[in-house]
Amino acid sequence: MARSNNRNRKIVPESGHALNQLKYEIAAELGLSSAYGSSGGSADTEFAGELGAVGGVVGGDAYAGHLTSRQNGSVGGEMTKRLVRQAQQSLL
């Protein structure tokens, strides 16, 4: 397995679990739940049962390297849209 050289740092490190949960929810909604797996079974979402089991991954984050850039980008783009929408609503 390749080593991650990701230099992005979370401003609030404690947000990691919530961001992963959001990622798994969106992946399940897009039909990618089995590709993303879960980190310890916490990825049960409203849609995961309908779309199939979410597989476990040893060691934390799921490896989704076999997915296309478009598929992975769809998840990240939807995460961004939802987080921006949530921030806008909190300002109102």
Side-chain angles (χ1 to χ4, degrees):
M1 201 180 313
R3 227 179 190 170
S4 175
N5 289 327
N6 188 353
R7 294 182 184 173
N8 294 336
R9 292 187 197 109
K10 294 178 187 74
I11 294 172
V12 181
E14 296 81 17
S15 68
H17 179 71
L19 289 172
N20 278 335
Q21 187 65 27
L22 179 61
K23 175 174 62 176
Y24 298 137
E25 280 182 30
I26 292 170
E29 290 173 14
L30 296 175
L32 302 172
S33 62
S34 62
Y36 271 88
S38 79
S39 56
S42 64
D44 293 336
T45 65
E46 178 182 351
F47 303 100
E50 297 171 13
L51 296 171
V54 179
V57 175
V58 176
D61 280 339
Y63 175 72
H66 61 285
L67 297 176
T68 66
S69 296
R70 179 177 218 116
Q71 290 170 316
N72 281 316
S74 296
V75 174
E78 186 63 28
M79 285 178 70
T80 302
K81 281 191 240 179
R82 289 186 190 186
L83 292 171
V84 168
R85 188 180 318 127
Q86 190 176 30
Q88 288 173 335
Q89 289 173 350
S90 71
L91 291 174
L92 296 176

